[in-house]
């Protein structure tokens, strides 16, 4: 296999990135697969009654919504578990179609690199293998975001602190790295502390969508709900200006009352303010236990939350904040770059992610690593770590043609 499939399965949508080329810095070209209608694939899969036909992605979501009136209760009625056999088989078929292969061909065509965030099932590797996608390499959200930054030529001076913050749909991962540079060698990123929150930016989009639907006339149709969620993502980017932004997206012509929202108005709402404050507190704690007296020289911000202005505002300070042009695709694109950029990550053991349900229970991972504590308690979507997801089932994941098992004994489990 000469290509890589970067996989990021979120709660309501998934992103697939195809990487082709040589696994050396600058040798990989990445493109997003989508479902033929959207770059972000709705997690939807539907079997038609009395037929063997199956729809996947956007067509499946639209069929599930039907032709009735639009209702806020239908915003996610189309959602399918992205780890279900049917949805993963749809991923395989879509990948095969993009590569010009028969849909029935179950021989893995690409090496899968999975962004194994919270909510990833314990048997994720087995599920991908049974779907015909191959045995995955697993990386954490922070590693994926760092790869996206590195692929754009990112660099920092020796002994700098890099802080990666990934605010996804239902979780937030924060990890600090110490930059190490040597003459004639690329920089290395040594993990220096990490934490996890089981809250994310997903509710913010539905909050705005409900504001729109509350002002809609009765002739709004359920089939408009998917375009409405697309428009919310565009609206999030417009809020960065700070000025009040009138709604001009899907269903704008069917509103009986004009909708105008601003960054400051939304930032004061509890569903935003509580999450942002918890994230800010945890980011400060992770940075402060990074093993040096230095503050971060750069903060990487990615995932769905980076599309909104709130997290950026909370992290803004002495260190600049870097964001990619398309935060929703950060993790899949970064995963597709992993084979090319793996050498930038220092092969030293570190504590796995621990779940912090709130800022008050965030864990000092530097202390945990020193004491040998590698297990944390958590609940909900945040209870699974990349180490638990892929390490136990697959043992040591190896590069094709090269047995790295001896070297990998010193790697954290989600980098093996």
């Amino acid at each position: 296999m000469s290509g890589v499939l970067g996989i990021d399965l979120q709660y309501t949508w998934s992103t697939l990135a195809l990487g082709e080329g040589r696994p050396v810095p600058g040798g990989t070209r990445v493109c997003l697969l989508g479902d033929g209608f959207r770059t972000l694939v709705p997690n939807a899969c539907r079997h038609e009654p009395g037929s063997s036909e199956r729809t996947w992605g956007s067509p499946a979501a639209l069929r599930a919504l039907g032709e009735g009136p639009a209702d806020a209760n239908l915003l996610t009625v189309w959602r399918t578990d992205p780890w279900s056999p049917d949805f993963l088989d749809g991923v395989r078929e879509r990948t095969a179609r993009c590569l010009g292969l028969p849909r029935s061909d179950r021989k893995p065509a690409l090496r899968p690199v999975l962004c194994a965030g919270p909510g990833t099932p314990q048997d994720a590797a087995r599920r991908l293998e049974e779907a015909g996608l191959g045995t995955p390499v697993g990386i954490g959200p922070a590693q994926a975001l760092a790869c996206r930054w590195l692929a754009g030529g990112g660099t920092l001076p020796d002994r700098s602190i890099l802080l990666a913050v990934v605010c996804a749909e239902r979780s937030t991962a924060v990890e600090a790295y110490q930059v190490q540079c040597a003459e004639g060698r690329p920089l290395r990123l040594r993990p220096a502390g990490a934490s996890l929150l089981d809250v994310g930016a997903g509710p913010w989009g539905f909050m705005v969508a409900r504001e729109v639907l509350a002002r809609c006339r009765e002739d709004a149709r359920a089939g408009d709900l998917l375009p409405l969620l697309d428009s919310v993502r565009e609206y999030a980017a417009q809020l960065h200006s700070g000025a009040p932004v009138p709604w001009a997206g899907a269903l704008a012509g069917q509103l009986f009352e004009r909708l105008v929202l601003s960054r400051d108005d939304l930032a004061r709402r509890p569903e935003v303010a509580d999450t942002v404050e918890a994230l800010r507190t945890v980011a400060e704690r992770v940075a402060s236990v990074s093993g040096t007296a230095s503050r971060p020289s750069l903060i990487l911000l990615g995932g769905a939350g980076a599309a909104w202005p709130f997290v950026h505002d909370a992290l803004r300070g002495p260190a600049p904040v870097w964001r990619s042009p398309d935060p929703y695709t950060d993790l899949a694109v970064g995963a597709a770059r992993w084979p090319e950029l793996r050498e930038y990550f220092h092969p030293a053991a570190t504590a796995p992610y621990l779940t912090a349900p709130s800022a008050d229970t965030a864990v000092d991972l530097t202390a945990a690593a020193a004491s040998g504590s590698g297990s944390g308690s958590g609940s909900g979507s945040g209870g699974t770590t990349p180490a638990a997801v892929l390490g136990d089932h697959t043992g040591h994941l190896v590069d094709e043609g090269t047995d790295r098992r001896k070297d990998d004994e010193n790697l954290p489990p989600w980098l093996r």
Side-chain angles (χ1 to χ4, degrees):
M1 292 181 284
S2 60
V4 179
L5 181 64
I7 303 173
D8 173 29
L9 303 180
Q10 295 288 321
Y11 181 74
T12 58
W13 49 266
S14 296
T15 312
L16 307 172
L18 171 63
E20 295 181 295
R22 296 175 297 132
V24 296
T28 303
R29 301 180 305 275
V30 177
C31 65
L32 298 168
L33 298 187
D35 63 4
F37 298 87
R38 289 173 171 81
T39 299
L40 303 184
V41 180
N43 291 344
C45 191
R46 181 178 172 87
H47 285 275
E48 297 307 313
S51 170
S52 60
E53 180 187 359
R54 179 187 65 197
T55 53
W56 178 82
S58 297
L62 288 172
R63 292 196 182 189
L65 286 168
E67 299 179 356
D71 188 294
N73 294 324
L74 301 177
L75 281 169
T76 58
V77 70
W78 43 267
R79 181 188 174 272
T80 299
D81 179 4
W83 289 101
S84 66
D86 278 345
F87 188 83
L88 291 177
D89 197 50
V91 172
R92 179 193 58 78
E93 288 189 1
R94 176 60 181 166
T95 304
R97 186 177 305 157
C98 290
L99 296 175
L101 300 174
R103 292 174 57 182
S104 59
D105 188 355
R106 299 187 67 84
K107 181 180 178 181
L110 301 168
R111 169 189 291 174
V113 179
L114 172 66
C115 182
T120 306
Q122 296 280 348
D123 59 348
R126 178 186 61 80
R127 297 192 192 198
L128 291 176
E129 291 165 355
E130 291 181 349
L133 289 166
T135 301
V137 172
I139 66 173
Q143 286 92 352
L145 179 60
C147 284
R148 177 116 196 207
W149 172 71
L150 288 166
T155 186
L156 284 172
D158 187 34
R159 303 191 65 79
S160 299
I161 296 297
L162 176 69
L163 188 67
V165 179
V166 179
C167 184
E169 269 198 280
R170 307 188 83 188
S171 65
T172 300
V174 182
E175 186 156 359
Y177 297 94
Q178 185 178 38
V179 176
Q180 297 179 331
C181 300
E183 187 175 351
R185 295 184 58 184
L187 64 85
R188 306 292 292 277
L189 300 180
R190 179 188 287 274
S195 192
L196 192 67
L197 285 167
D198 60 357
V199 292
W204 304 346
F206 293 112
M207 173 183 66
V208 174
R210 290 188 178 94
E211 291 277 1
V212 175
L213 291 172
R215 292 164 173 78
C216 273
R217 299 194 301 265
E218 294 182 358
D219 58 347
R221 313 309 298 169
D224 295 323
L225 295 180
L226 214 55
L228 172 62
L229 294 176
D230 295 337
S231 297
V232 168
R233 297 188 187 103
E234 298 173 3
Y235 191 73
Q238 297 173 34
L239 291 170
H240 282 271
S241 68
V245 180
W247 178 262
L251 297 174
Q254 294 166 275
L255 301 186
F256 60 76
E257 180 184 23
R258 190 166 179 254
L259 174 62
V260 181
L261 299 172
S262 73
R263 177 174 64 188
D264 293 341
D265 292 340
L266 292 174
R268 286 191 288 265
R269 299 195 183 188
E271 51 265 65
V272 176
D274 293 348
T275 297
V276 169
E277 178 59 22
L279 188 156
R280 183 189 62 78
T281 303
V282 168
E284 289 179 352
R285 291 184 184 181
V286 171
S288 68
V289 300
S290 59
T292 73
S294 302
R295 302 299 294 171
S297 299
L298 180 67
I299 299 174
L300 308 183
L301 176 58
W308 300 81
F310 317 123
V311 180
H312 181 272
D313 291 347
L315 297 177
R316 190 166 50 193
V321 179
W322 175 93
R323 291 180 301 158
S324 77
D326 187 4
Y328 289 101
T329 65
D330 282 339
L331 305 186
V333 171
R337 296 278 191 180
W338 175 253
E340 168 192 353
L341 299 169
R342 173 176 173 162
E343 66 175 3
Y344 285 77
F345 292 81
H346 198 286
T350 186
Y353 286 123
L354 302 184
T355 300
S358 69
D360 293 336
T361 57
V363 182
D364 178 340
L365 295 189
T366 301
S371 66
S373 172
S375 62
S377 62
S379 61
S381 63
T384 305
T385 71
V389 170
L390 296 174
D392 293 342
H393 173 73
T394 61
H396 297 281
L397 296 174
V398 299
D399 292 334
E400 291 178 356
T402 304
D403 190 341
R404 303 178 59 107
R405 297 184 183 183
K406 184 175 181 180
D407 294 337
D408 281 0
E409 290 175 358
N410 294 322
L411 286 171
W414 63 87
L415 298 185
R416 293 174 184 167

